[in-house]
């Protein structure tokens, strides 16, 4: 599962656990993006070190959750197709599943080299309330035909939580209890992340 994780929240953890269970995965790797091309303005955000530490804290209690710094240490912008092709090269006997949200499914055709991503892994898509199921299924089928890939629907409770919302709550001094793992919440408070 890739993402900026700025911050990682319970929605990310629930998606990871649901994918692990539904697709009988061995592990779920949380892969913070070091320099995502679609999120270049990082002002008022956590540093790479802070985001990595928050992921470590959030996933620590779960033995099948792992941290991957595959994209964090990359020079220049990180692109999913390069990451997935590299992982396939390093782990040739592993089948990779890449977990994305429904919003990413809608704009998947705008990603860099989407056909190469679809060739390098199975794509697991979580649903969101903003998209009705008929539309979701139509786009899922369209992407499968368009990129000749395996796009799988993740059956999960629909928790419409966004890191952007959590950052605004912290700036506004609203509670984030139960939206974040408790160790992550304490880390943010201690380090005064997102306050400005």
């Amino acid at each position: 599962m890739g993402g900026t994780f700025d911050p990682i929240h319970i929605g990310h953890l629930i998606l990871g656990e649901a994918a692990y269970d539904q697709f009988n995965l061995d592990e779920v790797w949380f892969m913070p993006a070091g320099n995502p091309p679609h999120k270049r303005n990082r002002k008022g955000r956590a540093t790479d070190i802070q985001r990595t530490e928050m992921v470590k804290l959030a996933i620590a209690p779960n033995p099948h959750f792992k941290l991957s710094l595959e994209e964090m240490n990359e020079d220049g912008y990180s692109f999913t197709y390069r990451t997935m092709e590299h992982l396939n090269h390093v782990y040739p006997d592993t089948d990779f599943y890449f977990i994305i949200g429904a919003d990413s499914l809608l704009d998947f055709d705008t990603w860099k080299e989407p056909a190469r991503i679809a060739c390098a892994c199975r794509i697991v898509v979580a649903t969101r309330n903003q998209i009705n199921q008929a539309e979701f299924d139509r786009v899922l089928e369209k992407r499968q035909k368009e990129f000749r890939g395996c796009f799988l629907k993740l059956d999960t409770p629909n928790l419409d939580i966004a890191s952007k919302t959590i950052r605004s709550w912290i700036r506004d001094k609203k509670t984030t209890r139960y939206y974040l793992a408790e160790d992550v919440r304490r880390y943010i408070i201690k380090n005064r992340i997102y306050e400005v």
Side-chain angles (χ1 to χ4, degrees):
M1 182 187 306
T4 48
F5 301 121
D6 196 12
I8 187 168
H9 54 67
I10 62 154
H12 297 126
L13 301 175
I14 290 168
L15 286 183
E17 186 68 11
Y20 172 82
D21 186 56
Q22 183 176 334
F23 299 107
N24 298 309
L25 305 179
D26 296 313
E27 296 177 334
V28 177
W29 296 358
F30 287 79
M31 192 179 310
N35 205 358
H38 61 292
K39 295 185 179 179
R40 295 182 184 184
N41 180 10
R42 309 249 341 119
K43 188 178 177 188
R45 309 287 181 90
T47 65
D48 289 354
I49 292 169
Q50 289 171 329
R51 290 187 300 115
T52 300
E53 189 59 30
M54 287 188 280
V55 171
K56 282 184 195 172
L57 291 167
I59 69 174
N62 191 323
H64 50 261
F65 283 178
K66 306 292 181 201
L67 171 67
S68 169
L69 298 178
E70 189 68 35
E71 291 196 331
M72 187 58 75
N73 298 320
E74 187 173 299
D75 295 329
Y77 291 113
S78 54
F79 291 103
T80 302
Y81 81 93
R82 286 197 304 218
T83 300
M84 298 314 301
E85 289 176 352
H86 176 71
L87 289 173
N88 279 312
H89 177 74
V90 175
Y91 305 98
D93 297 326
T94 301
D95 293 325
F96 285 98
Y97 292 67
F98 190 69
I99 304 167
I100 64 174
D103 48 344
S104 295
L105 176 70
L106 293 177
D107 67 10
F108 187 75
D109 57 329
T110 68
W111 288 30
K112 185 89 166 167
E113 302 288 350
R116 286 171 70 175
I117 299 169
C119 183
C121 59
R122 293 176 176 97
I123 298 167
V124 174
V125 189
T127 59
R128 288 192 104 147
N129 276 340
Q130 291 88 340
I131 304 170
N132 76 40
Q133 286 307 303
E135 174 68 5
F136 178 89
D137 292 341
R138 188 190 66 74
V139 175
L140 195 72
E141 187 177 331
K142 178 183 176 189
R143 295 290 182 243
Q144 285 187 144
K145 289 177 182 171
E146 196 173 11
F147 300 112
R148 294 188 209 106
C150 180
F151 289 75
L152 304 165
K153 184 180 190 177
L154 179 59
D155 299 320
T156 181
N158 197 332
L159 296 170
D160 207 11
I161 304 168
S163 296
K164 180 179 180 179
T165 303
I166 290 173
R167 291 194 303 270
S168 74
W169 289 349
I170 292 167
R171 275 192 304 276
D172 295 341
K173 303 199 181 331
K174 294 181 180 175
T175 185
T176 56
R177 190 178 300 269
Y178 308 120
Y179 289 90
L180 300 169
E182 189 57 24
D183 286 346
V184 172
R185 197 175 73 81
R186 285 195 202 106
Y187 180 84
I188 290 170
I189 291 166
K190 179 182 175 185
N191 293 281
R192 305 185 69 181
I193 307 171
Y194 313 122
E195 286 185 6
V196 290

